[in-house]
């Protein structure tokens, strides 16, 4: 769902689509898109905001909905807090999850060779199951930023 910024004095002004991706470590996609939209208003344009993502960190930020926190296994099995965004879709309730949040590279600062090989995507499977438990009929998964190299086997086995 896009958010619109409308120039009240010129409702038929040109429309700018503010669709930014995050600037890692600086600003989220939503924050950047809203800044561009406000700048468009100053230039007497209307704007629509639709944050974007390449599927990695910040993927969930491109969606609006109810955010739920769940505890799932991290890349080495340790418990981590991750989130699910539940939003309405044409097919019913949809869940949005981000692989980078649950088994992301940031969770393994300097992995040893054995840790890199042992890292599992099982936590992603747990997020999918939790999403179904909350009533989601579909799950959108942002797959970037993973610290795992199991090809999704851990997720499948969950």
């Amino acid at each position: 769902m896009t958010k619109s910024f409308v120039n009240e004095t010129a409702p038929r002004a040109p429309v700018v689509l503010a669709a930014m991706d995050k600037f890692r470590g600086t600003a989220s996609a939503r924050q950047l898109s809203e800044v561009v939209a406000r700048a468009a208003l100053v230039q007497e344009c209307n704007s629509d905001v639709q944050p974007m993502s390449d599927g990695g960190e910040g993927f969930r930020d491109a969606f609006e909905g109810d955010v739920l926190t769940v505890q799932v296994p991290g890349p080495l099995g340790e418990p981590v807090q991750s989130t699910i965004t539940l939003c309405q879709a044409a097919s019913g309730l949809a869940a949005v999850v981000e692989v980078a949040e649950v088994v992301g590279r940031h969770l393994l600062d300097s992995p040893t060779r054995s840790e890199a090989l042992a890292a599992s995507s099982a936590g992603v499977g747990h997020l999918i199951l939790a999403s179904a438990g909350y009533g989601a009929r579909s799950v959108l998964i942002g797959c970037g930023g993973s610290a795992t190299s199991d090809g999704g086997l851990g997720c499948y086995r969950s």
Side-chain angles (χ1 to χ4, degrees), residues 12-28:
R12 293 193 182 274
V15 177
V16 172
L17 174 60
M20 302 291 293
D21 194 356
K22 62 155 177 344
F23 286 6
R24 185 175 286 129
T26 305
S28 73

Side-chain angles (χ1 to χ4, degrees), residues 63 86-96 131 134-140:
F63 299 87
L86 295 175
C87 52
Q88 289 301 318
S91 62
L93 191 62
V96 181
S131 298
Y134 287 118
R137 295 183 50 112
S138 59
V139 181
L140 301 171

Side-chain angles (χ1 to χ4, degrees), residues 70-115:
V70 295
Q71 184 171 295
V72 296
L76 297 178
E78 73 291 353
V80 297
Q81 297 294 317
S82 192
T83 49
I84 299 167
T85 298
L86 295 175
C87 52
Q88 289 301 318
S91 62
L93 191 62
V96 181
V97 299
E98 184 176 311
V99 168
E101 285 185 349
V102 64
V103 294
R105 291 185 298 242
H106 71 283
L107 296 170
L108 296 177
D109 289 330
S110 296
T112 64
R113 179 178 168 84
S114 61
E115 287 174 328

Side-chain angles (χ1 to χ4, degrees), residues 3-7 16 18 30-49:
K3 178 179 179 180
S4 296
F5 287 73
V6 178
N7 182 334
V16 172
R30 185 165 309 283
Q31 291 167 329
L32 291 168
S33 296
E34 289 184 1
V35 166
V36 169
R38 286 188 192 97
L41 281 176
V42 171
Q43 297 301 314
E44 298 183 2
C45 294
N46 296 319
S47 59
D48 290 331
V49 173

